[in-house]
Amino acid sequence: LTEAQEAKQRSRPSTSPRAQVPALRFLLRMLLPSRWSRDAGDVQEFQRYRRIWRYVVALTLFVSLTPLVVMTELNHFMYRRALASESRYDVARALSNVSRSLEFVIQERMSALRLLVEERGVEELRSSEKLAVTLRNLKQSFGGFVDLGLIGPNGVQDHYAGPYNLQGNRYEDQEWFREVAVRGVYVSDVFMGHRQLPHFVIAVRRDAADGSFVVLRATVDMELLTSLVFVPDLGPSDDVFVVSRDGVLQTPSRHHGGLLEPCTVPIPPLSPGIERIEGFREKGLSFDLGYRSIARTPFVLIVLKSNPIASGPWQRTRTELLTILVVSTVLIGLVVLWSSTYMVRQIRVADLRRTEMLHRMEFTAKMATIGRLAASVAHEINNPLAIINEKAGLLKDLVQRTPGHPHGEKSLKSLDSIIRSVERCGNVTHRLLGFTRSMESTTESIDLPELLREVLGFTGKEAVHRNITVETRFAPGAPPVQANRGQLQQVFLNVINNAFAAVEHGGKVDLIVESPRPSRVRVTIRDDGVGIPEDKLPYVFEPFFSMKGKFGTGLGLSITYDLVQKMGGRIDISSKLGEGTAVTVELPASASHRGDA
Amino acid sequence: MNEIRVLLIDDEEELVATLEERLGMRGIRAETATTVEQALERVRQVSFDVVVVDLKMPGLDGTEIVDRIRERHPRTGVLLITGHGSGHGELEQVTHRGYRILLKPFAFDRLVELIREAAQGGEAER
């Protein structure tokens, strides 16, 4: 009982207010099996189909969604990896292109200075006029040079050519001078020159034969390098710039500080190659960060490229992927639900059909058994009944022939009662015998409308007495049936008598003959009488069921059923309490007519 | 009108005896036979106006007895009785191979009526 209640409660949500919208209700019915609970009746049966349904839905969903999810996830992963490697490649390419240009430009100037001191000799440069000519030549052929100075081993700038008067400047205490004295070549950090323009210095040492040396020092306009620090198609938050090894910006950056300001990006320990930081986060953005130190200079090139995985395009792609996944999941879900529901519904219909067929077969077998049993019982009873009947009759004769019998009247009454009772028993046994009687019956081709008119002839009086309207509708061209006339009369007499018994005074009975298929003839007998309660309907063809109270034997319809079955036909009944009953008898058309169509 | 002579053939002795007595009260001279042999023996000796035969006799089918009797006395009226019923309930099948059938238990008056009818039919032919 609790199970039944549970099932009821479970089935209830589907009939909630939502389901009152017809379209939604229709959709729910297409997709969910909840409606079965109503007509299933049997809770266990309902749960069985529910279980099959769940199993099918789960399995199909699993089988169809798993590849989808796996593919989407794989796609996602591959795309992400491709994006990441593309971004890495972009950074690497930018780093190597720009750093190569910078190295080349610086190296070119360094070589030019070295060539000057090596080829021309120091003596050639030891005059400010000559230095000025050289500077002009350098400017013309290389560009970027601002001034040129020759410094002796004591750190004093002996000669100078350039826009300022720097002759005689002393550099012996400066770091760069010591460095170039030791290493032979030096490139400085950027500094603001006298004109407030960024410059850097390239210095080369020239050793003299006597062990002393001079240093050729050139100031180069930083603009030369700045113009090279450029990467095409940079994103809005991307950046490329040069810093010194101690983190001072050597070129202006877009987002990380101006010239000569400390850089906001950390600088890792540097190696000659490319250094990389992935997923560097700044101001809520994620970047791929690449470093490359420029050979023989204090410069470090930095490229910042916003991480595509954390940024807009990737997020959009992800959203698209997710949307596709969700939409296809929903679609697949709907299709799976629909097909599972359809399939389980079909299974249920097939089951119901099979059960109905089994019931029918069982019923037929039961009928045959009951029939045989009834026949033998009836036969055994008929003989004793006949004896009782005749003995009682004899007594009656004797009493009647004995005038002044002391109990004459009473005895006669009793004997009549016995005889009437025997008659009643006889009626029952005769009908029981009729049930499976197989006295060889000859069949003939019978025109149903004609036969029905005959049968109506038997019952015509009752119809007139009770003012019952009998309406006949006989389709022209309905084929005849091959049957035994008496049996067929019996069939329709039973059904029509039932119809008459069911209607009120002034009721109406319809007789319809039609041919649904060329090989079948269908007779419908419909009344507007009391009808049969739904719970009784399944039993009307069983022997001893009667709606007529003590007036019926309960054998009429069961005999009818049996006869119709034997004729290869079928009989169906439908009824509504208070509205009437319709009995349909369908019979095979006579064989000679079947080929005609 | 002559007295009608009837032979009642049925293995139920009580039944035929009672019928014999009752028919006698109504001026019908009946005799009984409870076996096939007895019946055929009586028929050899006497020509009956009507024979009332149970369709199911031990040893021989009722219709065969009738055939044998009719061989000898073609004008004898025949009435069949049976406890097996005709099989058609209310639509009492009144004939079997042209003979009248009465279903047991039957109304005695109906039997008398049919015997007279059969006897008359025989006489008319005669």
Side-chain angles (χ1 to χ4, degrees), chain B residues 39-79:
Chain B
L40 294 176
E41 180 64 31
R42 283 307 294 155
V43 171
R44 255 196 296 278
Q45 293 162 7
V46 186
S47 164
F48 290 94
D49 298 312
V50 177
V51 285
V52 177
V53 187
D54 186 8
L55 262 179
K56 231 175 186 142
M57 288 291 287
L60 206 58
D61 193 76
T63 50
E64 280 180 61
I65 302 170
V66 171
D67 288 344
R68 296 229 192 140
I69 295 169
R70 295 280 284 197
E71 254 170 53
R72 192 174 279 266
H73 309 286
R75 282 186 290 273
T76 299
V78 173
L79 189 55

mmCIF file of all heavy atoms in Angstrom, chain B residues 39-79:
data_model
loop_
_atom_site.group_PDB
_atom_site.id
_atom_site.type_symbol
_atom_site.label_atom_id
_atom_site.label_comp_id
_atom_site.label_asym_id
_atom_site.label_seq_id
_atom_site.Cartn_x
_atom_site.Cartn_y
_atom_site.Cartn_z
ATOM 1 N N ALA B 39 -37.000 -54.121 -27.485
ATOM 2 C CA ALA B 39 -37.770 -53.247 -28.365
ATOM 3 C C ALA B 39 -37.976 -53.903 -29.721
ATOM 4 O O ALA B 39 -39.096 -53.986 -30.244
ATOM 5 C CB ALA B 39 -37.056 -51.909 -28.509
ATOM 6 N N LEU B 40 -36.846 -54.389 -30.300
ATOM 7 C CA LEU B 40 -36.935 -54.988 -31.627
ATOM 8 C C LEU B 40 -37.825 -56.230 -31.610
ATOM 9 O O LEU B 40 -38.573 -56.497 -32.557
ATOM 10 C CB LEU B 40 -35.525 -55.329 -32.139
ATOM 11 C CG LEU B 40 -34.622 -54.103 -32.388
ATOM 12 C CD1 LEU B 40 -33.211 -54.530 -32.799
ATOM 13 C CD2 LEU B 40 -35.236 -53.190 -33.456
ATOM 14 N N GLU B 41 -37.738 -56.970 -30.497
ATOM 15 C CA GLU B 41 -38.576 -58.156 -30.324
ATOM 16 C C GLU B 41 -40.058 -57.788 -30.379
ATOM 17 O O GLU B 41 -40.864 -58.396 -31.089
ATOM 18 C CB GLU B 41 -38.216 -58.811 -28.976
ATOM 19 C CG GLU B 41 -38.996 -60.058 -28.622
ATOM 20 C CD GLU B 41 -38.723 -61.195 -29.624
ATOM 21 O OE1 GLU B 41 -37.590 -61.242 -30.155
ATOM 22 O OE2 GLU B 41 -39.652 -61.992 -29.915
ATOM 23 N N ARG B 42 -40.431 -56.733 -29.606
ATOM 24 C CA ARG B 42 -41.828 -56.308 -29.549
ATOM 25 C C ARG B 42 -42.301 -55.837 -30.921
ATOM 26 O O ARG B 42 -43.414 -56.122 -31.366
ATOM 27 C CB ARG B 42 -42.008 -55.162 -28.535
ATOM 28 C CG ARG B 42 -42.016 -55.554 -27.085
ATOM 29 C CD ARG B 42 -43.000 -56.644 -26.780
ATOM 30 N NE ARG B 42 -44.379 -56.234 -26.964
ATOM 31 C CZ ARG B 42 -45.400 -57.065 -27.227
ATOM 32 N NH1 ARG B 42 -45.179 -58.366 -27.345
ATOM 33 N NH2 ARG B 42 -46.639 -56.624 -27.376
ATOM 34 N N VAL B 43 -41.414 -55.111 -31.595
ATOM 35 C CA VAL B 43 -41.781 -54.561 -32.902
ATOM 36 C C VAL B 43 -42.030 -55.684 -33.914
ATOM 37 O O VAL B 43 -42.893 -55.590 -34.769
ATOM 38 C CB VAL B 43 -40.681 -53.606 -33.400
ATOM 39 C CG1 VAL B 43 -40.921 -53.198 -34.841
ATOM 40 C CG2 VAL B 43 -40.652 -52.363 -32.520
ATOM 41 N N ARG B 44 -41.261 -56.770 -33.764
ATOM 42 C CA ARG B 44 -41.467 -57.909 -34.654
ATOM 43 C C ARG B 44 -42.880 -58.483 -34.480
ATOM 44 O O ARG B 44 -43.502 -58.940 -35.424
ATOM 45 C CB ARG B 44 -40.427 -58.992 -34.362
ATOM 46 C CG ARG B 44 -39.334 -59.053 -35.431
ATOM 47 C CD ARG B 44 -38.563 -60.333 -35.328
ATOM 48 N NE ARG B 44 -37.821 -60.461 -34.065
ATOM 49 C CZ ARG B 44 -36.635 -59.895 -33.849
ATOM 50 N NH1 ARG B 44 -36.077 -59.170 -34.794
ATOM 51 N NH2 ARG B 44 -36.032 -60.062 -32.698
ATOM 52 N N GLN B 45 -43.327 -58.443 -33.218
ATOM 53 C CA GLN B 45 -44.620 -59.051 -32.927
ATOM 54 C C GLN B 45 -45.804 -58.146 -33.235
ATOM 55 O O GLN B 45 -46.833 -58.561 -33.724
ATOM 56 C CB GLN B 45 -44.675 -59.472 -31.446
ATOM 57 C CG GLN B 45 -43.714 -60.607 -31.133
ATOM 58 C CD GLN B 45 -43.423 -60.733 -29.647
ATOM 59 O OE1 GLN B 45 -44.059 -60.042 -28.834
ATOM 60 N NE2 GLN B 45 -42.506 -61.597 -29.290
ATOM 61 N N VAL B 46 -45.649 -56.884 -32.896
ATOM 62 C CA VAL B 46 -46.789 -55.978 -32.984
ATOM 63 C C VAL B 46 -46.448 -54.799 -33.887
ATOM 64 O O VAL B 46 -45.300 -54.342 -33.911
ATOM 65 C CB VAL B 46 -47.174 -55.454 -31.573
ATOM 66 C CG1 VAL B 46 -48.447 -54.631 -31.649
ATOM 67 C CG2 VAL B 46 -47.284 -56.586 -30.598
ATOM 68 N N SER B 47 -47.462 -54.291 -34.580
ATOM 69 C CA SER B 47 -47.264 -53.064 -35.340
ATOM 70 C C SER B 47 -47.784 -51.901 -34.503
ATOM 71 O O SER B 47 -48.980 -51.824 -34.212
ATOM 72 C CB SER B 47 -48.023 -53.150 -36.666
ATOM 73 O OG SER B 47 -48.134 -51.874 -37.220
ATOM 74 N N PHE B 48 -46.885 -51.016 -34.079
ATOM 75 C CA PHE B 48 -47.278 -49.874 -33.249
ATOM 76 C C PHE B 48 -47.627 -48.684 -34.128
ATOM 77 O O PHE B 48 -47.108 -48.548 -35.233
ATOM 78 C CB PHE B 48 -46.139 -49.501 -32.299
ATOM 79 C CG PHE B 48 -45.909 -50.526 -31.226
ATOM 80 C CD1 PHE B 48 -44.962 -51.529 -31.384
ATOM 81 C CD2 PHE B 48 -46.683 -50.495 -30.060
ATOM 82 C CE1 PHE B 48 -44.769 -52.478 -30.399
ATOM 83 C CE2 PHE B 48 -46.468 -51.454 -29.078
ATOM 84 C CZ PHE B 48 -45.518 -52.439 -29.234
ATOM 85 N N ASP B 49 -48.527 -47.841 -33.575
ATOM 86 C CA ASP B 49 -48.829 -46.608 -34.305
ATOM 87 C C ASP B 49 -47.680 -45.618 -34.177
ATOM 88 O O ASP B 49 -47.324 -44.923 -35.117
ATOM 89 C CB ASP B 49 -50.111 -45.972 -33.745
ATOM 90 C CG ASP B 49 -51.304 -46.884 -33.933
ATOM 91 O OD1 ASP B 49 -51.473 -47.383 -35.066
ATOM 92 O OD2 ASP B 49 -52.035 -47.121 -32.949
ATOM 93 N N VAL B 50 -47.148 -45.598 -32.946
ATOM 94 C CA VAL B 50 -46.075 -44.627 -32.693
ATOM 95 C C VAL B 50 -45.004 -45.293 -31.834
ATOM 96 O O VAL B 50 -45.343 -46.052 -30.914
ATOM 97 C CB VAL B 50 -46.604 -43.377 -31.943
ATOM 98 C CG1 VAL B 50 -45.447 -42.414 -31.632
ATOM 99 C CG2 VAL B 50 -47.679 -42.664 -32.733
ATOM 100 N N VAL B 51 -43.708 -45.026 -32.159
ATOM 101 C CA VAL B 51 -42.655 -45.419 -31.223
ATOM 102 C C VAL B 51 -42.012 -44.146 -30.660
ATOM 103 O O VAL B 51 -41.765 -43.192 -31.396
ATOM 104 C CB VAL B 51 -41.564 -46.306 -31.881
ATOM 105 C CG1 VAL B 51 -42.075 -47.714 -32.097
ATOM 106 C CG2 VAL B 51 -41.078 -45.686 -33.179
ATOM 107 N N VAL B 52 -41.802 -44.167 -29.314
ATOM 108 C CA VAL B 52 -41.102 -43.045 -28.661
ATOM 109 C C VAL B 52 -39.729 -43.588 -28.266
ATOM 110 O O VAL B 52 -39.639 -44.509 -27.454
ATOM 111 C CB VAL B 52 -41.891 -42.553 -27.428
ATOM 112 C CG1 VAL B 52 -41.111 -41.448 -26.728
ATOM 113 C CG2 VAL B 52 -43.266 -42.077 -27.832
ATOM 114 N N VAL B 53 -38.684 -43.042 -28.874
ATOM 115 C CA VAL B 53 -37.351 -43.634 -28.713
ATOM 116 C C VAL B 53 -36.373 -42.624 -28.095
ATOM 117 O O VAL B 53 -36.302 -41.468 -28.508
ATOM 118 C CB VAL B 53 -36.790 -44.062 -30.091
ATOM 119 C CG1 VAL B 53 -35.489 -44.839 -29.916
ATOM 120 C CG2 VAL B 53 -37.802 -44.888 -30.841
ATOM 121 N N ASP B 54 -35.655 -43.137 -27.109
ATOM 122 C CA ASP B 54 -34.559 -42.314 -26.553
ATOM 123 C C ASP B 54 -33.416 -42.334 -27.557
ATOM 124 O O ASP B 54 -33.045 -43.373 -28.081
ATOM 125 C CB ASP B 54 -34.103 -42.907 -25.211
ATOM 126 C CG ASP B 54 -33.077 -42.016 -24.526
ATOM 127 O OD1 ASP B 54 -32.842 -40.879 -25.017
ATOM 128 O OD2 ASP B 54 -32.516 -42.442 -23.506
ATOM 129 N N LEU B 55 -32.878 -41.168 -27.844
ATOM 130 C CA LEU B 55 -31.815 -41.081 -28.848
ATOM 131 C C LEU B 55 -30.563 -41.821 -28.419
ATOM 132 O O LEU B 55 -29.756 -42.215 -29.232
ATOM 133 C CB LEU B 55 -31.458 -39.617 -29.109
ATOM 134 C CG LEU B 55 -32.101 -38.976 -30.325
ATOM 135 C CD1 LEU B 55 -31.668 -37.530 -30.429
ATOM 136 C CD2 LEU B 55 -31.713 -39.724 -31.597
ATOM 137 N N LYS B 56 -30.376 -41.952 -27.109
ATOM 138 C CA LYS B 56 -29.153 -42.606 -26.655
ATOM 139 C C LYS B 56 -29.491 -43.849 -25.859
ATOM 140 O O LYS B 56 -29.763 -43.780 -24.672
ATOM 141 C CB LYS B 56 -28.343 -41.632 -25.799
ATOM 142 C CG LYS B 56 -26.945 -41.628 -26.353
ATOM 143 C CD LYS B 56 -25.999 -40.708 -25.790
ATOM 144 C CE LYS B 56 -24.727 -40.806 -26.616
ATOM 145 N NZ LYS B 56 -24.118 -39.511 -26.790
ATOM 146 N N MET B 57 -29.465 -44.968 -26.551
ATOM 147 C CA MET B 57 -29.719 -46.233 -25.880
ATOM 148 C C MET B 57 -28.411 -46.980 -25.779
ATOM 149 O O MET B 57 -27.575 -46.912 -26.686
ATOM 150 C CB MET B 57 -30.706 -47.073 -26.721
ATOM 151 C CG MET B 57 -32.108 -46.562 -26.704
ATOM 152 S SD MET B 57 -32.867 -46.773 -25.104
ATOM 153 C CE MET B 57 -33.138 -48.543 -25.106
ATOM 154 N N PRO B 58 -28.195 -47.711 -24.683
ATOM 155 C CA PRO B 58 -26.972 -48.509 -24.619
ATOM 156 C C PRO B 58 -26.990 -49.562 -25.717
ATOM 157 O O PRO B 58 -28.005 -50.215 -25.937
ATOM 158 C CB PRO B 58 -27.021 -49.152 -23.227
ATOM 159 C CG PRO B 58 -28.371 -48.882 -22.667
ATOM 160 C CD PRO B 58 -29.063 -47.868 -23.511
ATOM 161 N N GLY B 59 -25.901 -49.667 -26.427
ATOM 162 C CA GLY B 59 -25.816 -50.695 -27.472
ATOM 163 C C GLY B 59 -26.064 -50.149 -28.856
ATOM 164 O O GLY B 59 -25.274 -50.358 -29.753
ATOM 165 N N LEU B 60 -27.139 -49.412 -29.024
ATOM 166 C CA LEU B 60 -27.482 -48.965 -30.375
ATOM 167 C C LEU B 60 -27.984 -47.532 -30.328
ATOM 168 O O LEU B 60 -28.699 -47.139 -29.410
ATOM 169 C CB LEU B 60 -28.579 -49.875 -30.940
ATOM 170 C CG LEU B 60 -28.648 -49.987 -32.461
ATOM 171 C CD1 LEU B 60 -27.325 -50.492 -33.033
ATOM 172 C CD2 LEU B 60 -29.778 -50.924 -32.869
ATOM 173 N N ASP B 61 -27.646 -46.791 -31.309
ATOM 174 C CA ASP B 61 -28.091 -45.405 -31.354
ATOM 175 C C ASP B 61 -29.589 -45.366 -31.639
ATOM 176 O O ASP B 61 -30.106 -46.203 -32.377
ATOM 177 C CB ASP B 61 -27.327 -44.678 -32.470
ATOM 178 C CG ASP B 61 -27.502 -43.192 -32.381
ATOM 179 O OD1 ASP B 61 -26.867 -42.577 -31.498
ATOM 180 O OD2 ASP B 61 -28.307 -42.643 -33.164
ATOM 181 N N GLY B 62 -30.270 -44.425 -31.020
ATOM 182 C CA GLY B 62 -31.719 -44.305 -31.170
ATOM 183 C C GLY B 62 -32.169 -44.243 -32.620
ATOM 184 O O GLY B 62 -33.147 -44.888 -33.017
ATOM 185 N N THR B 63 -31.412 -43.512 -33.418
ATOM 186 C CA THR B 63 -31.835 -43.353 -34.809
ATOM 187 C C THR B 63 -31.737 -44.665 -35.578
ATOM 188 O O THR B 63 -32.514 -44.919 -36.496
ATOM 189 C CB THR B 63 -30.979 -42.289 -35.523
ATOM 190 O OG1 THR B 63 -29.612 -42.587 -35.282
ATOM 191 C CG2 THR B 63 -31.289 -40.904 -35.012
ATOM 192 N N GLU B 64 -30.782 -45.513 -35.148
ATOM 193 C CA GLU B 64 -30.664 -46.809 -35.826
ATOM 194 C C GLU B 64 -31.849 -47.712 -35.491
ATOM 195 O O GLU B 64 -32.352 -48.450 -36.347
ATOM 196 C CB GLU B 64 -29.351 -47.489 -35.442
ATOM 197 C CG GLU B 64 -28.191 -46.934 -36.232
ATOM 198 C CD GLU B 64 -26.891 -47.606 -35.861
ATOM 199 O OE1 GLU B 64 -26.786 -48.826 -36.035
ATOM 200 O OE2 GLU B 64 -25.983 -46.898 -35.367
ATOM 201 N N ILE B 65 -32.285 -47.636 -34.216
ATOM 202 C CA ILE B 65 -33.476 -48.399 -33.831
ATOM 203 C C ILE B 65 -34.648 -47.961 -34.703
ATOM 204 O O ILE B 65 -35.394 -48.776 -35.254
ATOM 205 C CB ILE B 65 -33.810 -48.164 -32.341
ATOM 206 C CG1 ILE B 65 -32.622 -48.569 -31.468
ATOM 207 C CG2 ILE B 65 -35.079 -48.923 -31.946
ATOM 208 C CD1 ILE B 65 -32.744 -48.170 -30.024
ATOM 209 N N VAL B 66 -34.755 -46.639 -34.818
ATOM 210 C CA VAL B 66 -35.847 -46.102 -35.629
ATOM 211 C C VAL B 66 -35.766 -46.637 -37.050
ATOM 212 O O VAL B 66 -36.761 -47.086 -37.632
ATOM 213 C CB VAL B 66 -35.812 -44.562 -35.624
ATOM 214 C CG1 VAL B 66 -36.809 -43.996 -36.633
ATOM 215 C CG2 VAL B 66 -36.118 -44.034 -34.238
ATOM 216 N N ASP B 67 -34.546 -46.637 -37.605
ATOM 217 C CA ASP B 67 -34.370 -47.132 -38.973
ATOM 218 C C ASP B 67 -34.864 -48.574 -39.101
ATOM 219 O O ASP B 67 -35.568 -48.926 -40.047
ATOM 220 C CB ASP B 67 -32.894 -47.048 -39.381
ATOM 221 C CG ASP B 67 -32.452 -45.611 -39.608
ATOM 222 O OD1 ASP B 67 -33.345 -44.738 -39.743
ATOM 223 O OD2 ASP B 67 -31.228 -45.342 -39.632
ATOM 224 N N ARG B 68 -34.488 -49.410 -38.111
ATOM 225 C CA ARG B 68 -34.886 -50.821 -38.167
ATOM 226 C C ARG B 68 -36.399 -50.982 -38.089
ATOM 227 O O ARG B 68 -37.003 -51.800 -38.779
ATOM 228 C CB ARG B 68 -34.256 -51.590 -37.006
ATOM 229 C CG ARG B 68 -32.750 -51.605 -37.113
ATOM 230 C CD ARG B 68 -32.209 -52.991 -36.953
ATOM 231 N NE ARG B 68 -30.774 -52.922 -36.788
ATOM 232 C CZ ARG B 68 -30.082 -53.674 -35.935
ATOM 233 N NH1 ARG B 68 -30.725 -54.550 -35.170
ATOM 234 N NH2 ARG B 68 -28.797 -53.560 -35.859
ATOM 235 N N ILE B 69 -36.998 -50.151 -37.197
ATOM 236 C CA ILE B 69 -38.454 -50.250 -37.050
ATOM 237 C C ILE B 69 -39.138 -49.819 -38.341
ATOM 238 O O ILE B 69 -40.063 -50.457 -38.838
ATOM 239 C CB ILE B 69 -38.932 -49.391 -35.863
ATOM 240 C CG1 ILE B 69 -38.366 -49.947 -34.551
ATOM 241 C CG2 ILE B 69 -40.474 -49.341 -35.797
ATOM 242 C CD1 ILE B 69 -38.560 -49.049 -33.361
ATOM 243 N N ARG B 70 -38.647 -48.725 -38.905
ATOM 244 C CA ARG B 70 -39.282 -48.193 -40.112
ATOM 245 C C ARG B 70 -39.118 -49.149 -41.302
ATOM 246 O O ARG B 70 -39.920 -49.140 -42.222
ATOM 247 C CB ARG B 70 -38.659 -46.833 -40.463
ATOM 248 C CG ARG B 70 -38.919 -45.756 -39.428
ATOM 249 C CD ARG B 70 -40.281 -45.151 -39.556
ATOM 250 N NE ARG B 70 -40.345 -44.226 -40.676
ATOM 251 C CZ ARG B 70 -41.290 -43.315 -40.844
ATOM 252 N NH1 ARG B 70 -42.276 -43.211 -39.950
ATOM 253 N NH2 ARG B 70 -41.296 -42.535 -41.876
ATOM 254 N N GLU B 71 -38.036 -49.934 -41.247
ATOM 255 C CA GLU B 71 -37.840 -50.928 -42.297
ATOM 256 C C GLU B 71 -39.041 -51.884 -42.329
ATOM 257 O O GLU B 71 -39.591 -52.202 -43.385
ATOM 258 C CB GLU B 71 -36.589 -51.763 -41.988
ATOM 259 C CG GLU B 71 -35.398 -51.448 -42.856
ATOM 260 C CD GLU B 71 -34.156 -52.150 -42.321
ATOM 261 O OE1 GLU B 71 -34.210 -53.384 -42.112
ATOM 262 O OE2 GLU B 71 -33.142 -51.446 -42.080
ATOM 263 N N ARG B 72 -39.398 -52.295 -41.116
ATOM 264 C CA ARG B 72 -40.486 -53.255 -41.010
ATOM 265 C C ARG B 72 -41.852 -52.580 -41.123
ATOM 266 O O ARG B 72 -42.754 -53.086 -41.794
ATOM 267 C CB ARG B 72 -40.371 -53.971 -39.651
ATOM 268 C CG ARG B 72 -41.246 -55.183 -39.498
ATOM 269 C CD ARG B 72 -40.935 -55.873 -38.185
ATOM 270 N NE ARG B 72 -39.753 -56.725 -38.276
ATOM 271 C CZ ARG B 72 -39.821 -58.052 -38.546
ATOM 272 N NH1 ARG B 72 -40.992 -58.618 -38.730
ATOM 273 N NH2 ARG B 72 -38.745 -58.775 -38.607
ATOM 274 N N HIS B 73 -42.010 -51.435 -40.451
ATOM 275 C CA HIS B 73 -43.298 -50.737 -40.446
ATOM 276 C C HIS B 73 -43.079 -49.299 -40.892
ATOM 277 O O HIS B 73 -42.916 -48.409 -40.055
ATOM 278 C CB HIS B 73 -43.910 -50.722 -39.032
ATOM 279 C CG HIS B 73 -43.958 -52.066 -38.396
ATOM 280 N ND1 HIS B 73 -44.870 -53.037 -38.778
ATOM 281 C CD2 HIS B 73 -43.210 -52.625 -37.400
ATOM 282 C CE1 HIS B 73 -44.680 -54.128 -38.044
ATOM 283 N NE2 HIS B 73 -43.675 -53.911 -37.208
ATOM 284 N N PRO B 74 -43.054 -49.088 -42.183
ATOM 285 C CA PRO B 74 -42.705 -47.751 -42.681
ATOM 286 C C PRO B 74 -43.679 -46.679 -42.217
ATOM 287 O O PRO B 74 -43.344 -45.490 -42.211
ATOM 288 C CB PRO B 74 -42.770 -47.907 -44.201
ATOM 289 C CG PRO B 74 -42.916 -49.351 -44.468
ATOM 290 C CD PRO B 74 -43.397 -50.037 -43.252
ATOM 291 N N ARG B 75 -44.884 -47.066 -41.832
ATOM 292 C CA ARG B 75 -45.855 -46.030 -41.482
ATOM 293 C C ARG B 75 -45.921 -45.734 -39.988
ATOM 294 O O ARG B 75 -46.714 -44.928 -39.542
ATOM 295 C CB ARG B 75 -47.234 -46.429 -42.004
ATOM 296 C CG ARG B 75 -47.364 -46.186 -43.498
ATOM 297 C CD ARG B 75 -48.749 -46.427 -43.981
ATOM 298 N NE ARG B 75 -49.100 -47.839 -43.959
ATOM 299 C CZ ARG B 75 -48.839 -48.692 -44.970
ATOM 300 N NH1 ARG B 75 -48.258 -48.246 -46.065
ATOM 301 N NH2 ARG B 75 -49.171 -49.962 -44.900
ATOM 302 N N THR B 76 -45.070 -46.398 -39.234
ATOM 303 C CA THR B 76 -45.061 -46.125 -37.796
ATOM 304 C C THR B 76 -44.578 -44.693 -37.551
ATOM 305 O O THR B 76 -43.557 -44.260 -38.106
ATOM 306 C CB THR B 76 -44.114 -47.103 -37.073
ATOM 307 O OG1 THR B 76 -44.601 -48.428 -37.297
ATOM 308 C CG2 THR B 76 -44.069 -46.825 -35.580
ATOM 309 N N GLY B 77 -45.326 -43.960 -36.709
ATOM 310 C CA GLY B 77 -44.906 -42.599 -36.346
ATOM 311 C C GLY B 77 -43.721 -42.672 -35.386
ATOM 312 O O GLY B 77 -43.613 -43.592 -34.596
ATOM 313 N N VAL B 78 -42.839 -41.694 -35.492
ATOM 314 C CA VAL B 78 -41.634 -41.702 -34.646
ATOM 315 C C VAL B 78 -41.559 -40.410 -33.832
ATOM 316 O O VAL B 78 -41.813 -39.319 -34.344
ATOM 317 C CB VAL B 78 -40.361 -41.851 -35.505
ATOM 318 C CG1 VAL B 78 -39.112 -41.698 -34.641
ATOM 319 C CG2 VAL B 78 -40.365 -43.182 -36.213
ATOM 320 N N LEU B 79 -41.215 -40.555 -32.574
ATOM 321 C CA LEU B 79 -40.990 -39.398 -31.701
ATOM 322 C C LEU B 79 -39.704 -39.661 -30.928
ATOM 323 O O LEU B 79 -39.558 -40.719 -30.315
ATOM 324 C CB LEU B 79 -42.187 -39.260 -30.750
ATOM 325 C CG LEU B 79 -42.252 -38.013 -29.898
ATOM 326 C CD1 LEU B 79 -42.185 -36.755 -30.746
ATOM 327 C CD2 LEU B 79 -43.532 -38.027 -29.073
#
